[in-house]
Amino acid sequence: MAEKTFVNNSPATLQITIYIREDNIPYSNIGTESFELLPGETKTITYGDPVNVYLNGINFFTIYSDDLYSKVQFITALDTELDNLLNTNDILTVTKVETDYVLTGSSENPFLDAVNNAQTAQEMQAAIEDPGLGLDLTAYNTLTEVEKEEVATTVLNNRPVDGYPSVAAVQLALDTAIGQIVDPLNIYVQQGSSGNGSLANPFGTIAEGLAAVAAGGTLNILAGTYPITTQININKQGLTVKGVAGTILMLQADIIPLLITADNTRIEGLTLTSETAYAKEFIQVGGDNTSLVGNTIYGPDQPLPMDNWVVNRAVVPQVSIQNLLVENNVFYSLRTGIYINPNVTGLISGNTIYNTKGGLLVDRALIVIDGNSWGIPANEFDIVLLAGTTTGPPYDDLTVLSENNDNATISDQRAG
């Protein structure tokens, strides 16, 4: 959004309409904003959106001392007197001069002036970082010093001839420049794209993104459906693979689509599914300190009984995986939610699991199960303690385990 301050120095009550320019095209309007300005009143008007921050014209109307006054002014080309008046000043003042109402402009924002007066990348960087300007620097502050200088250079080079008309316009320019940065610690993928891995120009495939992202970084998979026909191996230490609403990994081959072999991996916000039931898990965990958070995994419908279902599973940690976190996920329409192999430790919490033969299958693991819930259609069993699994903590007593997990149905196969 953009804003300007209007000051009425006349004795008349003014009805004012401003015309909002579409992008930066003179005479092409995207909307209007109308308001009343009382004698002596100062009013700040918000208009437009992050893209449309320029004005194309202004209309005045008043009846004062029995005289009706109406005037409309439109911009038809860039860099005209009216264009400069409306779009390079933060404050627009109306003064009555004999029978006319005259509009003048001024800028009393020294912080915006610093942006518009900057001559070097260093001066622009200082102006951008000045708290008085009031920019949202959250994304900017994650950049390296070299990247910050690159962004400042872009903001400087893209500055309009007459300067940025508002702080909102600077914010838009800053965000656009940041989006063009290729940061190995923040790589972006968008199905169908063919870019360089920046937010503005993402890679088109997950494989490209994985190759480019640095250990300890984040691979951001943007909304889209990604056909998976070869296995994705997460083999870089400390990597976060993060989706958004609408990020769908569609398995189309009889493979484990996501294999985690590095430690300290986080998988967040992905949806994994398939149109064909494959006897595989969607995620196999082979690295310690793995976190699976906020994902949705489900299979295709299979006809009852569940005994005949293909053994597809959401998650399977390998033997002896340590400190596994599975939290706030949704797993459904699978033979098994999670098969937990021997000597696995960690926490399974806050998940919703339903329409499975076994929600959580514990095979001699030592993992804490707490705060999970079960939807409809119900699981055949919510928690299954397989033969050989320890007695005592963390599973006994079973009544408490059930109560702590939404009154889970438990199949205890440990005895005999």
Side-chain angles (χ1 to χ4, degrees):
M1 302 291 285
E3 63 178 33
K4 288 192 184 294
T5 299
F6 289 81
V7 179
N8 185 3
N9 280 344
S10 80
T13 296
L14 301 172
Q15 307 297 326
I16 300 176
T17 298
I18 54 175
Y19 297 83
I20 304 162
R21 182 180 299 171
E22 182 179 12
D23 197 8
N24 198 18
I25 306 170
Y27 64 76
S28 180
N29 299 322
I30 198 169
T32 62
E33 192 75 34
S34 297
F35 55 96
E36 182 179 80
L37 206 57
L38 300 176
E41 183 179 13
T42 296
K43 183 178 290 185
T44 298
I45 303 299
T46 301
Y47 63 91
D49 55 44
V51 174
N52 302 295
V53 297
Y54 296 103
L55 297 180
N56 250 355
I58 190 166
N59 180 42
F60 299 98
F61 176 85
T62 187
I63 299 176
Y64 177 71
S65 294
D66 296 326
D67 290 329
L68 186 150
Y69 178 93
S70 179
K71 179 170 71 174
V72 61
Q73 294 177 284
F74 278 108
I75 296 165
T76 60
L78 296 177
D79 299 327
T80 62
E81 289 185 6
L82 182 60
D83 185 24
N84 293 335
L85 173 63
L86 294 182
N87 292 310
T88 64
N89 295 289
D90 299 316
I91 302 172
L92 297 174
T93 301
V94 182
T95 304
K96 190 174 187 295
V97 180
E98 297 183 349
T99 61
D100 199 6
Y101 291 82
V102 177
L103 185 67
T104 57
S106 62
S107 178
E108 294 185 2
N109 187 339
F111 306 104
L112 182 60
D113 290 343
V115 170
N116 287 328
N117 292 331
Q119 298 301 308
T120 67
Q122 290 72 27
E123 291 177 357
M124 180 60 78
Q125 187 172 344
I128 288 170
E129 295 176 357
D130 194 319
L133 186 61
L135 294 180
D136 180 354
L137 298 178
T138 304
Y140 176 83
N141 287 333
T142 66
L143 303 178
T144 66
E145 289 304 314
V146 172
E147 290 167 344
K148 288 178 180 178
E149 184 174 351
E150 182 179 343
V151 165
T153 300
T154 301
V155 174
L156 177 65
N157 291 340
N158 290 342
R159 186 174 61 197
V161 173
D162 297 314
Y164 291 107
S166 64
V167 173
V170 180
Q171 184 75 64
L172 176 61
L174 177 68
D175 293 343
T176 301
I178 292 171
Q180 295 170 350
I181 291 288
V182 179
D183 177 6
L185 292 174
N186 275 288
I187 293 294
Y188 294 85
V189 174
Q190 174 76 70
Q191 175 66 23
S193 182
S194 58
N196 57 8
S198 66
L199 176 59
N201 298 290
F203 285 126
T205 68
I206 295 172
E208 288 177 299
L210 279 173
V213 69
T218 299
L219 177 62
N220 300 276
I221 305 178
L222 302 178
T225 299
Y226 298 79
I228 306 300
T229 57
T230 58
Q231 188 175 80
I232 300 168
N233 186 353
I234 310 299
N235 57 9
K236 294 181 179 179
Q237 292 281 333
L239 199 65
T240 294
V241 179
K242 188 175 183 180
V244 298
T247 300
I248 301 172
L249 276 58
M250 179 67 68
L251 178 60
Q252 296 184 342
D254 190 11
I255 59 172
I256 298 170
L258 196 57
L259 174 63
I260 300 169
T261 55
D263 295 341
N264 304 306
T265 298
R266 182 180 178 92
I267 308 297
E268 178 180 349
L270 301 181
T271 295
L272 293 92
T273 188
S274 65
E275 294 179 345
T276 301
Y278 300 107
K280 298 289 190 298
E281 59 268 27
F282 282 92
I283 301 178
Q284 184 179 119
V285 179
D288 292 337
N289 304 310
T290 294
S291 298
L292 309 177
V293 180
N295 303 285
T296 299
I297 303 176
Y298 64 97
D301 291 336
Q302 299 188 63
L304 296 173
M306 288 182 175
D307 284 341
N308 295 334
W309 280 14
V310 171
V311 184
N312 55 352
R313 292 165 169 162
V315 177
V316 176
Q318 296 175 5
V319 173
S320 299
I321 290 299
Q322 300 298 293
N323 199 29
L324 172 68
L325 174 65
V326 185
E327 186 174 53
N328 297 333
N329 302 280
V330 178
F331 305 143
Y332 65 95
S333 297
L334 302 157
R335 176 68 177 253
T336 306
I338 310 176
Y339 190 100
I340 312 159
N341 270 304
N343 302 316
V344 171
T345 68
L347 173 65
I348 298 175
S349 177
N351 305 284
T352 301
I353 306 173
Y354 59 96
N355 197 28
T356 73
K357 183 171 174 61
L360 302 175
L361 270 59
V362 183
D363 183 3
R364 294 164 287 168
L366 291 167
I367 197 160
V368 175
I369 301 171
D370 184 66
N372 301 285
S373 60
W374 326 100
I376 301 295
N379 303 307
E380 186 172 297
F381 285 100
D382 300 324
I383 301 172
V384 179
L385 303 175
L386 297 175
T389 299
T390 186
T391 57
Y395 309 116
D396 292 314
D397 70 37
L398 296 185
T399 299
V400 173
L401 179 64
S402 175
E403 290 175 350
N404 288 347
N405 289 276
D406 192 29
N407 297 313
T409 58
I410 300 175
S411 172
D412 186 2
Q413 302 175 14
R414 294 174 296 176

